[in-house]
Amino acid sequence: MSGRIAVVTGASSGIGAATALRIAKNFEGLVLHARKSVESLENIAAKVRSEGAKAVTVLGDLTDAATGERLVRTASEAFGRLDCVIANAGFPILKSFDQGTLADLEYGFRGNVFSFFSITRAAAPLLAKSAAGRVVAVGSFTASVFRTDVRQFPMSAASKGALETAVRSLAMYLAPKGVTVNCVVPGFIQKEAGAEDSVTDDELAESRARIPLGRIGQPEDVAAAIEFLLSTDAGYITGQSLHVSGGLRI
């Protein structure tokens, strides 16, 4: 994977940061995105550079289609090409069905699905020129695990399910161009303290008891799966959803 260029959304923490640091050892350059976490994003960019890769940062709200387009344009201007898109930035909405509004539903779809279409559409011409064009989206177990003993996210689960459908659809479209499109679906993953979309420690403890492997996942667990799907070894895999959940879906 040496010499490749990638865009990583939601790269200031969690799965996005872990992915950026993992692939920095082999990639030439990364465009790192965050919505507003300037200090955290610059910290990750510095770590990426210490691993030997170049890094540029972009701030913006992905519910605005122009942000995805700007990320691709930045890659083109900074590096002259683009090989991989990691659409990690997630929009879980913690509100219950009673608390949530139609505006919340719309925000989830704009953040999770509309943004994925926008950035992939903008990136497609550059990815088609790559010897190994890759798109990896990050979904959520909330679109596939429906049990009374597991917390539900009714205001964002539908958009996460739609994201997996979008992956299959765009995989069909981009396959003739030699570009693969896949989705990694995390289960309960440890968040940093104070994360806006974090569940409580008590909820994580309760969730652990329901996971067959008996532990909460780490961002690095998901980053490893993403790295594989970016690799040349995964060149014959497209349109798939890979669950990284410790068996939660069993």
Side-chain angles (χ1 to χ4, degrees):
M1 294 194 291
S2 61
R4 296 165 81 188
I5 305 299
V7 167
V8 185
T9 68
S12 63
S13 64
I15 293 168
T19 300
L21 295 176
R22 190 176 184 96
I23 66 176
K25 298 177 179 65
N26 295 308
F27 275 48
E28 177 183 336
L30 304 180
V31 177
L32 304 175
H33 158 270
R35 184 164 60 96
K36 59 181 181 180
S37 305
V38 180
E39 184 176 349
S40 297
L41 187 64
E42 292 300 336
N43 180 50
I44 297 301
K47 291 180 179 179
V48 163
R49 295 180 190 116
S50 73
E51 294 289 350
K54 299 172 184 177
V56 295
T57 59
V58 176
L59 295 176
D61 190 339
L62 286 170
T63 61
D64 179 354
T67 299
E69 295 165 1
R70 184 154 52 95
L71 287 167
V72 174
R73 186 167 62 250
T74 298
S76 180
E77 293 171 352
F79 303 112
R81 65 188 192 282
L82 179 61
D83 303 286
C84 305
V85 171
I86 299 100
N88 161 73
F91 289 77
I93 299 172
L94 303 185
K95 295 179 181 178
S96 69
F97 180 73
D98 292 332
Q99 295 169 331
T101 66
L102 290 179
D104 292 321
L105 282 173
E106 181 179 358
Y107 185 76
F109 271 91
R110 286 191 176 279
N112 290 321
V113 185
F114 292 12
S115 66
F116 179 66
F117 271 93
S118 295
I119 193 170
T120 304
R121 175 177 289 157
L126 292 175
L127 295 174
K129 295 177 182 178
S130 171
R134 301 283 188 269
V135 179
V136 179
V138 177
S140 171
F141 75 92
T142 62
S144 57
V145 178
F146 297 96
R147 291 167 28 187
T148 56
D149 60 348
V150 174
R151 180 174 179 175
Q152 300 296 297
F153 297 78
M155 304 312 294
S156 57
S159 62
K160 286 295 189 179
L163 177 62
E164 292 190 51
T165 300
V167 162
R168 292 192 292 273
S169 178
L170 294 185
M172 289 288 293
Y173 173 72
L174 290 172
K177 304 177 188 297
V179 178
T180 68
V181 186
N182 292 289
C183 187
V184 170
V185 184
F188 283 102
I189 304 299
Q190 189 72 50
K191 298 289 181 71
E192 284 137 357
E196 291 180 9
D197 59 348
S198 179
V199 297
T200 67
D201 289 341
D202 288 343
E203 287 174 316
L204 284 178
E206 291 176 4
S207 301
R208 186 180 297 110
R210 296 168 177 81
I211 299 171
L213 285 181
R215 69 174 178 88
I216 300 298
Q218 298 299 313
E220 291 75 15
D221 293 320
V222 186
I226 293 171
E227 182 183 40
F228 167 67
L229 290 173
L230 297 177
S231 73
T232 53
D233 287 341
Y236 201 56
I237 301 172
T238 196
Q240 303 303 307
S241 293
L242 173 59
H243 288 252
V244 184
S245 63
L248 180 63
R249 196 175 181 221
I250 294 175

